Amino acid sequence: MMISYNHESIEYHTTTGGIIIQNGRVLLQREQNQPYWFLPGGSVEADDTPEYTIAKMIYEQLGVPVIQEQQVWMIENIVDLPLGPNMQVHETGMFFVLELPYPHPIFNKNGEFTGTNKEYRYQWIDLDLLDQHLVVPEFVVPELHVLEVGKGVKHIVS
């Protein structure tokens, strides 16, 4: 069961996300029929930790084990989504820089590719070219440009 609930016109979600950077590129995903990209991740289950959830999702969706994770962001993000009239989503999320085993065939992928769930597309995008892509939430691109691993957890409200 996902950690989420509704209160009046707000739907609350607890999420987790993974930042995978290799050779100056970051791995992003998008839904097959959507134009916007986002960091891999999703909703945290009630009995799971965010660390366990992101490692499980990366393995299930891409077939790659996570060797290590380090939390770098704690985010609060409020989004207007077409869930209903005047409905907002308030997302609380923990984002981790992930280390995957290297070398692994996933690092050799070029262009868009699919994982086990054919509804999602993945792509390695050069960090210097992120501004040319529609990436959500809006804080992701500027924060990736100033990402500092090992400097603690940054709290981001957007």
Side-chain angles (χ1 to χ4, degrees):
M1 172 190 295
M2 290 188 316
I3 301 175
S4 66
Y5 63 95
N6 294 340
H7 178 72
E8 297 176 1
S9 63
I10 300 177
E11 187 171 299
Y12 294 88
H13 290 277
T14 301
T15 62
T16 188
I19 303 166
I20 305 167
I21 298 174
Q22 185 68 32
N23 296 327
R25 303 179 307 165
V26 62
L27 184 65
L28 296 179
Q29 78 178 90
R30 70 176 179 87
E31 292 181 45
Q32 180 177 341
N33 298 318
Q34 296 295 329
Y36 52 86
W37 294 91
F38 48 92
L39 293 166
S43 296
V44 177
E45 299 289 326
D47 293 338
D48 295 339
T49 65
E51 295 88 346
Y52 175 81
T53 298
I54 192 59
K56 179 175 76 171
M57 295 180 106
I58 295 298
Y59 187 75
E60 288 176 354
Q61 295 174 4
L62 296 167
V64 185
V66 171
I67 294 174
Q68 184 177 7
E69 74 282 320
Q70 182 171 0
Q71 186 176 358
V72 289
W73 302 335
M74 172 68 174
I75 65 108
E76 295 180 64
N77 186 32
I78 298 176
V79 184
D80 292 312
L81 290 178
L83 299 176
N86 302 318
M87 188 66 153
Q88 290 184 322
V89 173
H90 185 163
E91 170 190 32
T92 302
M94 281 99 352
F95 282 74
F96 301 87
V97 169
L98 304 177
E99 181 184 345
L100 306 182
Y102 189 85
H104 189 280
I106 194 167
F107 295 119
N108 298 324
K109 301 278 187 180
N110 290 309
E112 289 189 30
F113 62 95
T114 59
T116 57
N117 183 340
K118 303 302 181 201
E119 294 180 22
Y120 289 101
R121 301 286 186 260
Y122 297 86
Q123 186 170 346
W124 290 101
I125 298 177
D126 190 298
L127 288 166
D128 293 333
L129 302 177
L130 280 175
D131 294 330
Q132 298 175 16
H133 295 80
L134 178 58
V135 179
V136 295
E138 290 181 13
F139 70 84
V140 170
V141 171
E143 289 297 331
L144 283 174
H145 287 304
V146 296
L147 182 64
E148 293 184 297
V149 180
K151 299 284 185 171
V153 177
K154 187 172 187 177
H155 184 204
I156 301 168
V157 179
S158 67

